[in-house]
Coordinates of all heavy atoms in Angstrom, one line a residue:
T254 N -19.5 -4.6 34.7 CA -18.4 -5.3 34.1 C -18.9 -6.7 33.8 O -19.5 -7.4 34.7 CB -17.2 -5.4 35.0 OG1 -16.7 -4.0 35.2 CG2 -16.1 -6.1 34.4
V255 N -18.5 -7.2 32.6 CA -18.9 -8.6 32.2 C -17.6 -9.2 31.7 O -16.9 -8.7 31.1 CB -19.9 -8.5 30.9 CG1 -20.1 -10.0 30.4 CG2 -21.1 -7.8 31.3
I256 N -17.4 -10.4 32.3 CA -16.2 -11.3 31.9 C -16.7 -12.7 31.4 O -17.5 -13.4 32.2 CB -15.3 -11.5 33.1 CG1 -14.9 -10.1 33.6 CG2 -14.1 -12.4 32.8 CD1 -14.2 -10.2 35.0
L257 N -16.3 -13.0 30.2 CA -16.5 -14.3 29.6 C -15.3 -15.1 29.5 O -14.4 -14.6 28.7 CB -17.3 -14.1 28.3 CG -18.7 -13.5 28.3 CD1 -19.2 -13.3 26.9 CD2 -19.6 -14.1 29.1
N258 N -15.2 -16.2 30.0 CA -14.2 -17.1 30.0 C -14.5 -18.5 29.6 O -15.6 -18.8 29.6 CB -13.3 -17.3 31.3 CG -12.6 -16.1 31.8 OD1 -12.0 -15.4 31.0 ND2 -12.8 -15.8 33.1
G259 N -13.6 -19.2 29.0 CA -13.9 -20.6 28.6 C -14.6 -20.7 27.2 O -14.2 -20.0 26.3
H260 N -15.8 -21.4 27.1 CA -16.5 -21.6 25.9 C -17.9 -20.9 26.1 O -18.9 -21.5 25.8 CB -16.7 -23.0 25.6 CG -15.4 -23.6 25.0 ND1 -14.4 -24.2 25.8 CD2 -15.1 -23.9 23.8 CE1 -13.5 -24.6 25.1 NE2 -13.9 -24.5 23.7
C261 N -18.0 -19.7 26.5 CA -19.3 -19.0 26.7 C -19.8 -18.6 25.4 O -19.0 -18.3 24.4 CB -19.1 -17.8 27.6 SG -18.6 -18.2 29.3
D262 N -21.1 -18.6 25.3 CA -21.8 -18.1 24.1 C -22.9 -17.2 24.6 O -23.8 -17.7 25.2 CB -22.3 -19.2 23.3 CG -22.8 -18.8 21.9 OD1 -22.8 -17.6 21.6 OD2 -23.1 -19.7 21.1
A263 N -22.9 -15.8 24.3 CA -23.8 -15.0 25.0 C -24.2 -13.8 24.1 O -23.4 -13.5 23.1 CB -23.2 -14.5 26.3
T264 N -25.3 -13.2 24.4 CA -25.7 -11.9 23.8 C -26.0 -10.9 24.9 O -26.7 -11.2 25.9 CB -26.9 -12.1 23.0 OG1 -26.6 -12.9 21.8 CG2 -27.4 -10.8 22.3
I265 N -25.5 -9.7 24.8 CA -25.9 -8.6 25.8 C -26.3 -7.4 25.0 O -25.9 -7.1 23.9 CB -24.7 -8.3 26.8 CG1 -23.5 -7.8 26.0 CG2 -24.3 -9.5 27.6 CD1 -22.5 -7.3 27.0
T266 N -27.2 -6.7 25.6 CA -27.8 -5.5 25.2 C -27.4 -4.4 26.2 O -27.7 -4.4 27.3 CB -29.2 -5.5 24.9 OG1 -29.6 -6.6 24.0 CG2 -29.9 -4.2 24.4
C267 N -26.7 -3.3 25.6 CA -26.5 -2.2 26.5 C -27.2 -1.0 26.0 O -27.0 -0.6 24.8 CB -24.9 -2.0 26.4 SG -23.8 -3.3 26.9
D268 N -28.0 -0.5 26.8 CA -28.8 0.7 26.4 C -29.2 1.6 27.6 O -28.8 1.3 28.7 CB -30.1 0.2 25.7 CG -31.0 -0.5 26.6 OD1 -30.7 -0.7 27.7 OD2 -32.0 -1.0 26.0
G269 N -29.9 2.7 27.3 CA -30.3 3.7 28.3 C -29.2 4.3 29.3 O -29.2 4.2 30.3
Y270 N -28.1 4.7 28.7 CA -27.1 5.4 29.4 C -26.1 4.4 30.1 O -25.4 4.8 30.9 CB -27.5 6.4 30.2 CG -28.2 7.6 29.5 CD1 -29.6 7.6 29.5 CD2 -27.5 8.7 29.0 CE1 -30.2 8.7 28.8 CE2 -28.1 9.8 28.3 CZ -29.5 9.7 28.3 OH -30.1 10.7 27.8
A271 N -26.2 3.2 29.8 CA -25.5 2.1 30.4 C -24.0 2.4 30.1 O -23.6 2.7 29.0 CB -25.8 0.8 30.0
V272 N -23.0 2.1 31.1 CA -21.7 2.1 30.9 C -21.2 0.7 31.3 O -21.4 0.3 32.5 CB -21.0 3.2 31.9 CG1 -19.5 3.1 31.8 CG2 -21.5 4.5 31.5
T273 N -20.4 0.0 30.3 CA -20.2 -1.3 30.4 C -18.8 -1.6 30.0 O -18.3 -1.2 28.9 CB -21.2 -2.2 29.6 OG1 -22.5 -1.8 29.9 CG2 -20.9 -3.6 29.9
N274 N -18.1 -2.4 30.9 CA -16.7 -3.0 30.5 C -16.9 -4.4 30.3 O -17.4 -5.1 31.1 CB -15.7 -2.7 31.5 CG -15.4 -1.3 31.7 OD1 -15.2 -0.6 30.8 ND2 -15.5 -0.8 32.9
V275 N -16.3 -5.0 29.2 CA -16.5 -6.4 28.8 C -15.2 -6.9 28.4 O -14.3 -6.3 27.8 CB -17.4 -6.5 27.6 CG1 -17.6 -8.0 27.2 CG2 -18.8 -5.8 27.8
Y276 N -14.9 -8.2 29.1 CA -13.7 -8.9 28.7 C -14.1 -10.3 28.1 O -14.8 -10.9 28.8 CB -12.9 -9.1 30.1 CG -12.4 -7.9 30.6 CD1 -13.2 -7.1 31.4 CD2 -11.2 -7.3 30.3 CE1 -12.8 -5.9 32.1 CE2 -10.7 -6.1 30.8 CZ -11.5 -5.4 31.7 OH -11.2 -4.2 32.3
V277 N -13.6 -10.6 27.0 CA -14.0 -11.8 26.3 C -12.7 -12.6 26.1 O -11.8 -12.1 25.4 CB -14.7 -11.5 25.1 CG1 -15.3 -12.8 24.4 CG2 -15.9 -10.5 25.2
R278 N -12.7 -13.9 26.6 CA -11.5 -14.6 26.5 C -11.7 -16.0 26.1 O -12.9 -16.4 25.9 CB -10.8 -14.8 27.8 CG -10.3 -13.3 28.4 CD -9.4 -13.5 29.6 NE -8.3 -14.1 29.2 CZ -7.5 -14.9 30.0 NH1 -7.7 -14.9 31.3 NH2 -6.4 -15.5 29.6
H279 N -10.6 -16.7 25.8 CA -10.6 -18.1 25.5 C -11.3 -18.4 24.2 O -11.1 -17.8 23.2 CB -11.1 -19.0 26.6 CG -10.2 -18.8 27.8 ND1 -10.8 -18.4 29.0 CD2 -8.9 -18.8 28.0 CE1 -9.8 -18.4 29.9 NE2 -8.6 -18.6 29.3
K280 N -12.3 -19.2 24.1 CA -13.1 -19.6 22.9 C -14.5 -19.1 23.0 O -15.5 -19.5 22.4 CB -13.0 -21.1 22.7 CG -11.7 -21.5 22.2 CD -11.7 -22.9 21.9 CE -10.3 -23.5 21.6 NZ -10.3 -24.9 21.2
S281 N -14.7 -17.9 23.8 CA -16.1 -17.4 24.0 C -16.5 -16.6 22.8 O -15.7 -16.2 22.0 CB -16.0 -16.5 25.2 OG -15.9 -17.2 26.4
K282 N -17.8 -16.6 22.5 CA -18.4 -15.9 21.5 C -19.4 -14.9 22.1 O -20.4 -15.3 22.9 CB -19.2 -16.8 20.5 CG -18.2 -17.8 19.8 CD -19.0 -18.7 18.8 CE -18.1 -19.7 18.2 NZ -18.7 -20.7 17.5
L283 N -19.4 -13.7 21.7 CA -20.3 -12.7 22.3 C -20.9 -11.8 21.2 O -20.2 -11.3 20.3 CB -19.5 -11.8 23.3 CG -20.4 -10.7 23.9 CD1 -21.5 -11.2 24.8 CD2 -19.4 -9.9 24.8
R284 N -22.2 -11.6 21.2 CA -22.9 -10.6 20.5 C -23.3 -9.5 21.4 O -23.9 -9.7 22.4 CB -24.2 -11.1 19.7 CG -25.0 -10.1 19.1 CD -25.5 -10.6 17.8 NE -26.5 -9.7 17.2 CZ -26.3 -8.6 16.7 NH1 -25.1 -8.1 16.6 NH2 -27.2 -7.8 16.2
I285 N -23.0 -8.2 21.0 CA -23.3 -7.0 21.8 C -24.1 -6.0 20.9 O -23.8 -5.8 19.8 CB -22.0 -6.3 22.2 CG1 -21.0 -7.2 23.0 CG2 -22.3 -5.1 23.1 CD1 -19.7 -6.7 23.3
I286 N -25.2 -5.6 21.5 CA -26.0 -4.7 20.9 C -25.9 -3.4 21.6 O -26.3 -3.3 22.9 CB -27.5 -5.1 20.7 CG1 -27.5 -6.5 20.0 CG2 -28.4 -4.1 20.1 CD1 -28.9 -7.2 20.2
C287 N -25.5 -2.3 21.1 CA -25.4 -1.0 21.8 C -26.4 -0.1 21.2 O -26.5 0.2 20.0 CB -24.0 -0.4 21.6 SG -22.6 -1.4 22.0
R288 N -27.2 0.6 22.0 CA -28.2 1.6 21.7 C -28.5 2.5 22.8 O -28.1 2.4 23.9 CB -29.4 0.9 21.1 CG -30.1 0.0 22.1 CD -31.3 -0.8 21.6 NE -31.9 -1.5 22.6 CZ -32.6 -2.6 22.4 NH1 -32.8 -3.0 21.1 NH2 -33.2 -3.3 23.3
Q289 N -29.2 3.6 22.4 CA -29.7 4.6 23.4 C -28.6 5.2 24.2 O -28.7 5.1 25.5 CB -30.9 4.1 24.2 CG -32.0 3.6 23.3 CD -33.0 2.9 24.1 OE1 -32.9 2.6 25.3 NE2 -34.2 2.5 23.5
L290 N -27.5 5.8 23.8 CA -26.5 6.4 24.4 C -25.7 5.6 25.4 O -25.1 6.1 26.3 CB -27.1 7.7 25.0 CG -27.9 8.6 24.2 CD1 -28.5 9.6 24.9 CD2 -26.9 9.3 23.2
A291 N -25.5 4.2 25.1 CA -24.7 3.4 25.9 C -23.3 3.7 25.6 O -22.9 4.3 24.6 CB -25.0 1.9 25.7
N292 N -22.4 3.4 26.7 CA -20.9 3.6 26.4 C -20.3 2.3 26.8 O -20.4 1.8 27.9 CB -20.5 4.7 27.5 CG -19.1 5.0 27.2 OD1 -18.2 4.2 26.9 ND2 -18.7 6.4 27.4
V293 N -19.6 1.6 25.8 CA -19.2 0.2 25.9 C -17.8 0.1 25.6 O -17.3 0.6 24.6 CB -20.0 -0.7 25.1 CG1 -19.5 -2.2 25.2 CG2 -21.5 -0.6 25.3
R294 N -16.9 -0.6 26.5 CA -15.5 -0.9 26.2 C -15.4 -2.4 26.2 O -15.8 -3.0 27.2 CB -14.7 -0.3 27.3 CG -14.7 1.2 27.5 CD -14.1 2.0 26.4 NE -14.0 3.4 26.7 CZ -14.8 4.3 26.4 NH1 -15.9 3.9 25.7 NH2 -14.7 5.6 26.5
V295 N -14.8 -2.9 25.1 CA -14.7 -4.4 25.0 C -13.2 -4.8 24.9 O -12.6 -4.2 24.0 CB -15.5 -4.9 23.8 CG1 -15.4 -6.4 23.7 CG2 -17.0 -4.4 23.9
N296 N -12.8 -5.7 25.6 CA -11.3 -6.3 25.4 C -11.5 -7.7 24.9 O -12.2 -8.6 25.5 CB -10.6 -6.3 26.7 CG -10.4 -4.9 27.3 OD1 -9.5 -4.3 26.8 ND2 -11.2 -4.5 28.2
V297 N -10.9 -8.0 23.7 CA -11.0 -9.3 23.0 C -9.6 -9.9 23.2 O -8.7 -9.4 22.7 CB -11.4 -9.2 21.6 CG1 -11.5 -10.5 21.1 CG2 -12.8 -8.3 21.5
L298 N -9.6 -11.1 23.8 CA -8.3 -11.9 24.0 C -8.4 -13.3 23.5 O -9.6 -13.8 23.3 CB -7.9 -11.9 25.5 CG -7.9 -10.4 26.1 CD1 -8.8 -10.2 27.2 CD2 -6.4 -10.1 26.5
D299 N -7.3 -13.9 23.4 CA -7.2 -15.4 23.0 C -7.9 -15.7 21.7 O -7.7 -15.0 20.7 CB -7.7 -16.3 24.2 CG -7.0 -15.9 25.5 OD1 -5.8 -15.7 25.4 OD2 -7.7 -16.0 26.6
N300 N -8.7 -16.7 21.6 CA -9.5 -17.0 20.3 C -10.9 -16.6 20.4 O -11.8 -17.2 19.7 CB -9.4 -18.5 20.1 CG -8.0 -19.0 19.7 OD1 -7.4 -18.2 19.0 ND2 -7.5 -20.1 20.3
A301 N -11.2 -15.6 21.2 CA -12.7 -15.0 21.3 C -13.1 -14.4 20.0 O -12.4 -13.9 19.2 CB -12.8 -14.2 22.5
F302 N -14.5 -14.4 19.9 CA -15.1 -13.8 18.8 C -16.1 -12.8 19.3 O -16.9 -13.2 20.2 CB -15.8 -14.8 17.9 CG -16.7 -14.1 16.8 CD1 -16.0 -13.6 15.6 CD2 -18.0 -14.1 16.9 CE1 -16.8 -12.9 14.6 CE2 -18.8 -13.5 15.9 CZ -18.1 -12.9 14.8
V303 N -16.2 -11.6 18.8 CA -17.2 -10.6 19.2 C -17.8 -10.0 18.0 O -17.2 -9.6 17.1 CB -16.5 -9.4 20.0 CG1 -17.5 -8.3 20.3 CG2 -15.9 -10.0 21.4
D304 N -19.1 -10.0 18.0 CA -19.9 -9.4 16.9 C -20.7 -8.1 17.7 O -21.4 -8.4 18.6 CB -20.9 -10.3 16.4 CG -21.8 -9.7 15.4 OD1 -21.4 -8.8 14.6 OD2 -23.0 -10.3 15.1
I305 N -20.4 -7.0 17.3 CA -20.9 -5.7 17.9 C -21.6 -4.9 16.9 O -21.2 -4.6 15.8 CB -19.8 -5.1 18.8 CG1 -20.3 -3.8 19.5 CG2 -18.6 -4.7 17.9 CD1 -19.3 -3.4 20.5
D306 N -22.8 -4.4 17.3 CA -23.7 -3.6 16.6 C -24.1 -2.3 17.4 O -24.3 -2.3 18.6 CB -24.9 -4.3 16.2 CG -25.7 -3.5 15.1 OD1 -25.1 -2.8 14.4 OD2 -26.9 -3.8 15.1
N307 N -24.1 -1.2 16.7 CA -24.3 0.1 17.2 C -25.5 0.9 16.5 O -25.5 0.8 15.3 CB -23.0 0.9 17.2 CG -23.1 2.2 17.9 OD1 -24.0 2.6 18.5 ND2 -21.9 2.9 17.8
D308 N -26.3 1.6 17.2 CA -27.3 2.4 16.6 C -26.9 3.8 16.3 O -27.7 4.6 15.9 CB -28.6 2.4 17.4 CG -28.5 3.2 18.7 OD1 -27.4 3.7 19.0 OD2 -29.5 3.3 19.4
M309 N -25.6 4.2 16.4 CA -25.0 5.5 16.1 C -25.3 6.5 17.2 O -24.7 7.6 17.1 CB -25.4 6.0 14.7 CG -25.0 5.1 13.6 SD -23.2 4.8 13.6 CE -22.6 6.4 13.0
T310 N -26.1 6.2 18.2 CA -26.2 7.1 19.3 C -25.2 6.7 20.4 O -25.0 7.4 21.4 CB -27.6 7.2 19.9 OG1 -27.9 5.9 20.4 CG2 -28.6 7.6 18.8
S311 N -24.6 5.6 20.4 CA -23.9 4.9 21.4 C -22.4 5.1 21.1 O -22.0 5.2 19.9 CB -24.1 3.4 21.7 OG -25.4 3.4 22.0
K312 N -21.5 5.0 22.1 CA -20.0 4.9 21.9 C -19.6 3.5 22.3 O -19.9 2.9 23.3 CB -19.4 5.9 22.9 CG -19.7 7.3 22.6 CD -18.9 7.9 21.4 CE -19.2 9.4 21.2 NZ -18.7 9.9 20.0
A313 N -18.8 3.0 21.3 CA -18.3 1.6 21.5 C -16.8 1.5 21.1 O -16.6 2.0 19.9 CB -19.1 0.6 20.8
F314 N -16.1 1.1 22.0 CA -14.6 0.9 21.7 C -14.2 -0.5 21.8 O -14.5 -1.1 22.8 CB -13.8 1.8 22.6 CG -14.1 3.1 22.3 CD1 -15.0 3.9 23.1 CD2 -13.3 3.9 21.4 CE1 -15.2 5.2 23.0 CE2 -13.5 5.3 21.3 CZ -14.6 5.9 22.0
V315 N -13.6 -1.1 20.9 CA -13.1 -2.5 21.0 C -11.6 -2.5 21.0 O -10.9 -2.0 20.0 CB -13.7 -3.4 19.8 CG1 -13.2 -4.8 19.9 CG2 -15.2 -3.4 19.8
Y316 N -10.9 -3.2 22.1 CA -9.4 -3.3 22.0 C -9.2 -4.7 21.8 O -9.4 -5.7 22.6 CB -9.0 -2.9 23.4 CG -9.4 -1.5 23.8 CD1 -10.5 -1.3 24.5 CD2 -8.6 -0.5 23.4 CE1 -10.9 0.0 24.8 CE2 -8.9 0.8 23.7 CZ -10.1 1.1 24.4 OH -10.5 2.4 24.7
Q317 N -8.7 -5.1 20.6 CA -8.5 -6.4 20.0 C -7.0 -6.7 20.3 O -6.1 -6.5 19.5 CB -8.8 -6.5 18.6 CG -8.7 -7.8 18.0 CD -9.1 -7.9 16.6 OE1 -9.4 -6.8 15.9 NE2 -9.2 -9.1 16.0
Y318 N -6.8 -7.6 21.3 CA -5.5 -8.1 21.6 C -5.2 -9.4 20.8 O -4.1 -9.7 20.5 CB -5.3 -8.5 23.1 CG -5.4 -7.2 23.9 CD1 -6.6 -6.7 24.5 CD2 -4.3 -6.4 24.1 CE1 -6.6 -5.6 25.2 CE2 -4.3 -5.2 24.8 CZ -5.5 -4.8 25.5 OH -5.5 -3.6 26.1
S319 N -6.3 -10.2 20.5 CA -6.2 -11.2 19.5 C -7.6 -11.6 19.4 O -8.6 -10.8 19.6 CB -5.5 -12.5 20.2 OG -6.0 -12.8 21.5
G320 N -7.9 -12.8 18.8 CA -9.3 -13.2 18.5 C -9.8 -12.4 17.3 O -9.0 -11.9 16.5
S321 N -11.1 -12.4 17.0 CA -11.7 -11.7 15.9 C -12.9 -10.9 16.2 O -13.6 -11.2 17.3 CB -12.1 -12.7 14.8 OG -12.9 -13.7 15.4
V322 N -13.1 -9.9 15.6 CA -14.1 -8.9 15.8 C -15.0 -8.7 14.5 O -14.3 -8.4 13.4 CB -13.5 -7.5 16.2 CG1 -14.6 -6.5 16.4 CG2 -12.7 -7.7 17.5
N323 N -16.2 -8.6 14.6 CA -17.0 -8.1 13.5 C -17.8 -6.9 14.0 O -18.6 -7.0 14.9 CB -18.1 -9.2 13.2 CG -19.0 -8.8 12.0 OD1 -18.7 -7.9 11.2 ND2 -20.2 -9.4 11.9
A324 N -17.4 -5.7 13.6 CA -17.9 -4.5 14.1 C -18.7 -3.7 13.1 O -18.3 -3.7 11.9 CB -16.8 -3.6 14.5
S325 N -19.9 -3.2 13.4 CA -20.7 -2.5 12.4 C -20.3 -0.9 12.5 O -19.4 -0.6 13.1 CB -22.2 -2.7 12.8 OG -22.6 -2.0 14.0
R326 N -21.2 -0.2 11.9 CA -20.9 1.3 11.8 C -20.6 1.9 13.1 O -21.3 1.6 14.2 CB -22.1 1.9 11.1 CG -23.4 1.6 12.0 CD -24.7 2.0 11.3 NE -25.7 1.8 12.3 CZ -26.6 0.8 12.4 NH1 -26.5 -0.1 11.6 NH2 -27.5 0.9 13.3
G327 N -19.8 2.9 13.1 CA -19.5 3.8 14.2 C -18.8 3.1 15.3 O -18.7 3.8 16.4
I328 N -18.2 1.9 15.2 CA -17.5 1.3 16.4 C -16.1 1.4 16.0 O -15.5 1.2 14.9 CB -18.0 -0.2 16.4 CG1 -19.4 -0.2 16.9 CG2 -17.1 -0.9 17.5 CD1 -20.1 -1.5 16.8
I329 N -15.3 1.8 17.1 CA -13.9 2.1 17.0 C -13.1 0.8 17.4 O -13.3 0.3 18.6 CB -13.5 3.3 17.8 CG1 -14.1 4.5 17.2 CG2 -11.8 3.3 17.7 CD1 -13.9 5.8 18.0
V330 N -12.4 0.1 16.5 CA -11.6 -1.0 16.8 C -10.1 -0.7 17.0 O -9.6 -0.2 15.9 CB -11.9 -2.2 15.8 CG1 -10.9 -3.4 16.1 CG2 -13.3 -2.5 15.7
R331 N -9.5 -0.9 18.0 CA -8.2 -0.5 18.3 C -7.2 -1.8 18.2 O -7.5 -2.7 19.1 CB -8.0 0.3 19.5 CG -8.7 1.6 19.4 CD -8.3 2.4 20.5 NE -8.9 3.8 20.2 CZ -9.4 4.6 21.1 NH1 -9.4 4.2 22.3 NH2 -9.9 5.7 20.8
D332 N -6.4 -2.0 17.4 CA -5.7 -3.1 17.2 C -4.5 -3.2 18.2 O -3.6 -2.3 18.1 CB -5.1 -3.1 15.7 CG -4.3 -4.4 15.4 OD1 -4.1 -5.2 16.4 OD2 -4.0 -4.6 14.3
R333 N -4.5 -4.0 19.0 CA -3.6 -4.1 20.2 C -2.8 -5.5 20.1 O -2.2 -6.0 21.0 CB -4.2 -4.0 21.5 CG -5.1 -2.8 21.8 CD -4.1 -1.6 21.9 NE -4.8 -0.4 21.9 CZ -4.8 0.6 22.8 NH1 -3.9 0.4 23.8 NH2 -5.5 1.6 22.7
R334 N -2.8 -6.1 18.9 CA -2.2 -7.4 18.8 C -0.7 -7.4 18.9 O -0.1 -8.4 19.3 CB -2.6 -8.0 17.5 CG -4.1 -8.5 17.4 CD -4.4 -9.0 16.0 NE -4.8 -7.8 15.3 CZ -5.5 -7.9 14.2 NH1 -6.0 -9.1 13.8 NH2 -5.8 -6.8 13.5
D335 N 0.0 -6.3 18.9 CA 1.3 -6.2 19.1 C 1.8 -6.0 20.7 O 2.8 -6.0 21.0 CB 2.1 -5.1 18.3 CG 2.0 -5.5 16.8 OD1 2.1 -6.6 16.5 OD2 2.0 -4.5 16.0
F336 N 0.7 -5.8 21.4 CA 0.8 -5.5 22.8 C 1.3 -6.8 23.5 O 0.7 -7.9 23.4 CB -0.5 -5.0 23.4 CG -0.2 -4.7 24.9 CD1 0.3 -3.4 25.3 CD2 -0.6 -5.5 25.9 CE1 0.3 -3.2 26.7 CE2 -0.7 -5.3 27.2 CZ -0.1 -4.0 27.6
K337 N 2.3 -6.7 24.4 CA 2.7 -7.9 25.1 C 2.5 -7.7 26.6 O 2.9 -6.7 27.2 CB 4.3 -8.1 24.9 CG 4.7 -8.3 23.5 CD 4.0 -9.5 23.0 CE 4.6 -9.7 21.5 NZ 3.7 -10.4 20.7
F338 N 1.7 -8.6 27.2 CA 1.5 -8.4 28.7 C 2.6 -8.9 29.4 O 3.3 -10.0 29.1 CB 0.2 -9.4 29.1 CG -1.1 -8.8 28.5 CD1 -1.5 -9.4 27.4 CD2 -1.8 -7.8 29.3 CE1 -2.9 -8.9 26.9 CE2 -3.0 -7.4 28.8 CZ -3.5 -7.9 27.7
S339 N 3.1 -8.3 30.5 CA 4.3 -8.6 31.1 C 4.0 -9.5 32.4 O 2.9 -9.7 32.7 CB 5.0 -7.4 31.6 OG 4.2 -6.5 32.2

């Protein structure tokens, strides 16, 4: 599990059957590279920005509660902007 809060700026590579959960919040910027059968779940909140790329052998799901997402081929982006946290 990876959690980015505040003003983080990072790049992560998920590969080789990796299973990864990512939470990106506030004004963080994250570039994710998925390859070689990785399984990645990303939650985007607040004003965060995520750029995610996939080599088509990996599974990547992005849950966008707010912020912005730049997703390449084969990545499923689920719009959760209407979801209200209680």
